[in-house]
Amino acid sequence: MLDLKESWTYTCTKIVSKTETNTATAHGWSNGWDVFRKANATVVVGTPILPPLIHVVKVPNVFTLPAGGGTVTYLYKVTNPGTVPLSEVSIVDDKCTGLPGRVVGHPGDLNKNNLLESNETWQFTCQSKITQTTTSIGTAMGYANGLTASDFSPVTVLVDPPGFPNAGLPHERKSVAWSIAEIAGILGLISLAVVLKKRIV
């Protein structure tokens, strides 16, 4: 079981003969839900070009909502784990429309050159109102040396199912005396059935 603050590391080795981008997908299960994450990496063959890398982490302010749903605020942290600065950085979400898309003049751009560098973290927020359990994916992209870097961060927010509707009828309350009378009547019927059975036999 992968616990909080744990980090599991895996390696895979293959021979490549040309430039290629591959995708690794990690899956896990929690409370009956499939949690997944994809990561891309590009290996350049034949030219001394450094491939770009980008990383995005998306976190909602709540993971569960009551029946009927509500508003969720997502926080996105975009970083550059590579060694080459990224230009034309963009951030989008398939279920939240408040993100800027192409990013220009971000306050996290320390040297104000519109390049996401390895020592910078660019943060974004987006609000969305949901009424049912929703999985949404944040996507960050950047460019360097003629290559595209992309990363995806899916998140699921659970919405409780609706309860039974209130019919508006008052609950019927029975007195103690009435309840005792009902029980006595049932016992009387059982006794009568036993007597009749004995007479028939």
Side-chain angles (χ1 to χ4, degrees), residues 9 14 19 26 30 32 59 63 70 73 77 81 89 102 104 114 120 135 139 159 167 176 178 183 191 196:
T9 302
K14 66 172 295 187
T19 298
S30 179
V59 180
F63 285 92
T73 300
K77 292 184 178 181
V89 174
R102 170 77 182 279
V104 177
N114 284 324
E120 297 176 346
T135 298
T139 302
V159 176
V176 175
W178 179 255
I183 295 173
S191 299
L196 292 175

Side-chain angles (χ1 to χ4, degrees), residues 42 45 64 72 74 79 85 116 134 138 142 150 154 178 193 196-198:
T42 299
V45 176
T64 60
V72 182
Y74 299 101
T79 56
L116 177 59
T134 301
S150 61
W178 179 255
L196 292 175
K197 183 176 180 180
K198 288 182 178 180

Side-chain angles (χ1 to χ4, degrees), residues 135-154:
T135 298
S136 56
I137 302 175
T139 302
M141 298 182 67
Y143 301 88
N145 296 329
L147 299 172
T148 302
S150 61
D151 193 28
F152 311 92
S153 185

Side-chain angles (χ1 to χ4, degrees), residues 12-98:
C12 181
T13 303
K14 66 172 295 187
I15 298 174
V16 295
S17 58
K18 60 181 180 179
T19 298
E20 70 173 38
T21 298
N22 55 40
T23 302
T25 304
H27 280 269
W29 288 88
S30 179
N31 297 323
W33 288 90
D34 179 20
V35 182
F36 69 95
R37 179 64 190 270
K38 293 183 178 182
N40 297 329
T42 299
V43 176
V44 178
V45 176
T47 56
I49 296 177
L50 293 175
L53 294 174
I54 195 169
H55 183 57
V56 58
V57 176
K58 173 184 175 182
V59 180
N61 66 322
V62 292
F63 285 92
T64 60
L65 288 171
T71 300
V72 182
T73 300
Y74 299 101
L75 172 65
Y76 308 77
K77 292 184 178 181
V78 182
T79 56
N80 179 355
T83 57
V84 56
L86 299 174
S87 65
E88 300 181 37
V89 174
S90 64
I91 177 75
V92 295
D93 194 297
D94 65 334
K95 300 288 177 60
C96 195
T97 58

Side-chain angles (χ1 to χ4, degrees), residues 177-189:
W178 179 255
S179 298
I180 294 175
E182 284 184 333
I183 295 173
I186 294 172
L187 293 176
L189 290 175

